[in-house]
Amino acid sequence: MSPKRMPIVALVGRPNVGKSTLFNRLIGERKALVHDKPGMTRDRHYGTAEHVGRPFVVIDTGGYEDTMETPLLSMMREQTLIAIDEADCVVLLTEEAVPNDPIDAEIVAKLRASGKPFFLAVNKADDSKREIQAITDFSVHGLDNVFPISAMHGTGVFELMDDVTANFDEFDESEADDGRIRVAIVGRQNAGKSTLVNRLLGENRMIASDLAGTTRDSIDTEVTVDGRDFLIIDTAGIRRRGKIERGAEKLSVHSAFGAIDRCDVALLLIDAREGVAAQDQHIAGHLVEAGKACVIVLNKWDIVQDRENYGEHIRKVRQEFGFLKWAPIITISAKTGQRAWKLWALINHCSEQFNRQFATSELNVILKKAVAHLSPPVTGPRELKMKYVAQTGSRPPRLTFFVNDPKMLHFSYERYLQNQFHAQLKLDGTPVRFSFKRKAEEKNWLHENRRNDRRRPGDDADTTPVLLGPDEDYEAEWYQEDEETT
């Protein structure tokens, strides 16, 4: 086990024995979906946990089934076996009420063959009588230690994790790279999100099926590409609110929106055959509200009938996403790999834009040009005065304008300023937050922040105006090349 990474613990077992409940208890948050219906977890699900100062990665898995009746059950079984192979040690979770299940015996045999250290935890042993019964009943597996626990109430979990983590190598958390770019893949059901994750990772990490709704949870996977660390978050498909079923699916949709809130860059996946639907616009609206960098990805491009009319497809998408003019658009096929490799460059670019910092002098040169090109509209006897602009935040960039009276600002002029700053700063892939304050508040801000900006007026500023008309919108561009599939 390398000291450069945290140890990995896999939770395996039959469906509905409490693996996700134990996973949530270990990581200290409700990240995995927990429901009475068996099979809620279908993929591998990762989280970070700690026990008495020893950090580790824990993997929640789908239920291991003996039957191979359906492709989905077969894939869930495969995901469990991959998790066992990936882990440093394994916790086999079973339940007190089923002591002699042949599936448990089969998993024990596979764990013994793997050579990995593993521990048997008997869940739902909620009192001392059940604990004694569990130890007696499960001794048939010939294991030295059987741990009766209650994942729901925490009983016995501390003692279990004491033994699980006892032989972990020392891990220096300061060596862990926390500079990852968090990428959420979002969209409607059956848009190809899990297929795209597998394409980006180069392995069948996620269960991909033609059946809509295969992914129920937000799945985190770490990957390094060209020396950059990424956290790829595959999310459940988001249906129209009126179509969302209560219970499991409602939890899935909540998890998908939560994934958007914690990402840096979102890949908004659209089925290119169907075009932009109202639900795609709803998801995009949530991305804008959350202030996330975004790439619009038209998937399944290889089976679009009239794909030679590329320009018309892009025009229609731009028209439907009028509030995402700054987001680049790319056409891909996650299934064949057509242009999918270009997404890494786009993700990197959008992340850089998302984190950009600007000199105050540069921003004010742009403001001066914009006001000279088109003055603020006059309403009544007073005129709006744009005195100063400064960057007051990032992720995404936030620009604060100091004016004589913010109430005099018309929404059309704010849109005009947004377009000018997007164009002159060459900002694409990320939104920009605008706020307007009275000029009296400027003095306090200048006093606190001027020492942080040592660049002279005009430094880094583009002296060539890229001014748009009052009715023009800045549009991000992304070029298409040939029909490459590798």
Side-chain angles (χ1 to χ4, degrees):
M1 190 188 311
S2 170
K4 295 295 184 182
R5 67 164 176 84
M6 282 188 274
I8 300 175
V9 178
L11 308 180
V12 303
R14 291 178 285 109
N16 209 34
V17 295
K19 296 186 296 297
S20 293
T21 304
L22 179 58
F23 176 85
N24 287 340
R25 177 166 291 280
L26 292 177
I27 68 172
E29 58 180 293
R30 185 184 173 88
K31 187 176 180 182
L33 301 184
V34 178
H35 200 272
D36 291 337
K37 181 180 178 181
M40 278 298 303
T41 302
R42 286 138 181 228
D43 298 282
R44 310 199 301 285
H45 195 177
Y46 294 72
T48 303
E50 181 179 311
H51 180 75
V52 293
R54 290 175 291 218
F56 58 95
V57 174
V58 58
I59 311 176
D60 185 18
T61 64
Y64 184 96
E65 290 275 21
D66 183 42
T67 178
M68 308 290 278
E69 292 178 357
T70 68
L72 187 60
L73 291 176
S74 177
M75 286 187 284
M76 289 168 62
R77 178 188 178 105
E78 181 184 357
Q79 292 293 314
T80 299
L81 295 176
I82 293 173
I84 292 173
D85 184 62
E86 186 177 1
D88 296 302
C89 69
V90 180
V91 174
L92 168 58
L93 198 65
T94 186
E95 59 180 329
E96 182 265 342
V98 189
N100 296 306
D101 193 285
I103 297 179
D104 289 339
E106 181 180 343
I107 299 174
V108 168
K110 289 186 178 297
L111 289 172
R112 282 191 170 121
S114 73
K116 301 280 180 75
F118 67 96
F119 305 82
L120 178 62
V122 184
N123 193 25
K124 305 177 185 179
D126 297 304
D127 54 48
S128 57
K129 182 179 179 181
R130 288 183 173 182
E131 289 177 7
I132 295 171
Q133 190 66 42
I135 294 172
T136 303
D137 290 342
F138 286 87
S139 61
V140 297
H141 294 295
L143 302 176
D144 294 335
N145 291 314
V146 176
F147 295 86
I149 70 167
S150 171
M152 176 68 71
H153 302 109
T155 307
V157 174
F158 188 91
E159 290 77 7
L160 167 67
M161 298 315 298
D162 256 355
D163 275 31
V164 169
T165 62
N167 297 318
F168 282 175
D169 293 338
E170 184 178 350
F171 175 78
D172 184 0
E173 286 187 282
S174 65
E175 295 180 356
D177 187 3
D178 59 353
R180 300 173 299 180
I181 300 174
R182 291 169 171 78
V183 183
I185 301 178
V186 298
R188 287 184 290 142
Q189 287 188 335
N190 215 27
K193 296 182 293 299
S194 293
T195 303
L196 178 57
V197 171
N198 289 334
R199 173 65 58 183
L200 292 175
L201 299 179
E203 60 174 299
N204 291 326
R205 179 68 68 103
M206 304 301 166
I207 294 177
S209 171
D210 292 334
L211 178 65
T214 303
T215 301
R216 287 286 183 84
D217 214 341
S218 296
I219 314 298
D220 294 5
T221 308
E222 296 180 353
V223 63
T224 301
V225 179
D226 295 332
R228 294 293 300 273
D229 293 329
F230 300 86
L231 183 70
I232 307 298
I233 310 170
D234 184 23
T235 65
I238 304 172
R239 292 203 291 170
R240 198 159 45 86
R241 181 173 297 179
K243 296 288 186 179
I244 296 173
E245 299 174 2
R246 299 183 65 180
E249 188 179 2
K250 188 173 182 180
L251 289 172
S252 297
V253 172
H254 178 75
S255 178
F257 281 122
I260 292 174
D261 292 335
R262 62 191 177 92
C263 79
D264 303 318
V265 181
L267 302 183
L268 176 55
L269 212 60
I270 309 293
D271 189 329
R273 301 169 304 169
E274 301 177 4
V276 179
Q279 185 61 7
D280 295 319
Q281 293 175 321
H282 175 63
I283 298 169
H286 188 84
L287 288 170
V288 173
E289 290 176 5
K292 303 302 179 180
C294 177
V295 180
I296 300 172
V297 182
L298 301 184
N299 190 29
K300 306 184 182 180
W301 187 251
D302 57 316
I303 53 176
V304 172
Q305 296 296 324
D306 59 338
R307 58 182 179 274
E308 65 276 3
N309 295 325
Y310 166 77
E312 182 62 18
H313 281 279
I314 299 302
R315 187 193 66 79
K316 288 181 179 179
V317 172
R318 281 286 179 223
Q319 187 175 15
E320 296 292 340
F321 288 125
F323 51 90
L324 282 178
K325 296 288 187 180
W326 44 264
I329 301 175
I330 185 171
T331 58
I332 71 162
S333 170
K335 186 175 182 179
T336 67
Q338 181 185 50
R339 277 188 295 275
W341 59 273
K342 291 186 177 181
L343 285 172
W344 291 117
L346 268 176
I347 291 168
N348 275 313
H349 174 74
C350 291
S351 174
E352 291 170 359
Q353 299 285 71
F354 188 64
N355 290 280
R356 279 183 70 181
Q357 299 283 342
F358 304 102
T360 305
S361 55
E362 177 185 4
L363 297 176
N364 283 279
V365 168
I366 296 173
L367 177 61
K368 183 178 179 180
K369 291 177 182 178
V371 173
H373 184 63
L374 180 67
S375 299
V378 178
T379 55
R382 300 180 64 201
E383 180 182 355
L384 178 66
K385 299 289 187 181
M386 310 288 299
K387 184 175 181 182
Y388 198 84
V389 60
Q391 183 172 1
T392 54
S394 61
R395 301 176 57 83
R398 177 180 293 276
L399 305 183
T400 299
F401 294 78
F402 297 98
V403 301
N404 57 336
D405 187 356
K407 294 180 181 179
M408 297 176 62
L409 179 73
H410 194 270
F411 73 88
S412 62
Y413 198 75
E414 180 177 356
R415 177 185 169 189
Y416 164 76
L417 290 175
Q418 289 176 338
N419 285 321
Q420 302 308 322
F421 276 85
H422 263 294
Q424 292 215 43
L425 294 172
K426 298 180 175 60
L427 271 170
D428 52 3
T430 182
V432 180
R433 298 293 202 205
F434 275 35
S435 62
F436 297 84
K437 295 184 177 182
R438 288 185 179 275
K439 63 180 181 181
E441 302 175 62
E442 176 211 3
K443 294 180 181 179
N444 294 332
W445 187 90
L446 281 175
H447 178 73
E448 296 173 1
N449 295 276
R450 177 172 283 166
R451 62 178 179 271
N452 296 324
D453 190 353
R454 298 296 185 186
R455 283 174 279 192
R456 294 170 297 176
D459 283 359
D460 303 324
D462 186 353
T463 57
T464 304
V466 190
L467 295 171
L468 305 175
D471 297 323
E472 293 181 279
D473 286 323
Y474 173 75
E475 292 189 10
E477 297 180 358
W478 186 254
Y479 64 91
Q480 301 294 314
E481 293 184 350
D482 52 18
E483 300 295 304
E484 295 178 81
T485 58
T486 58

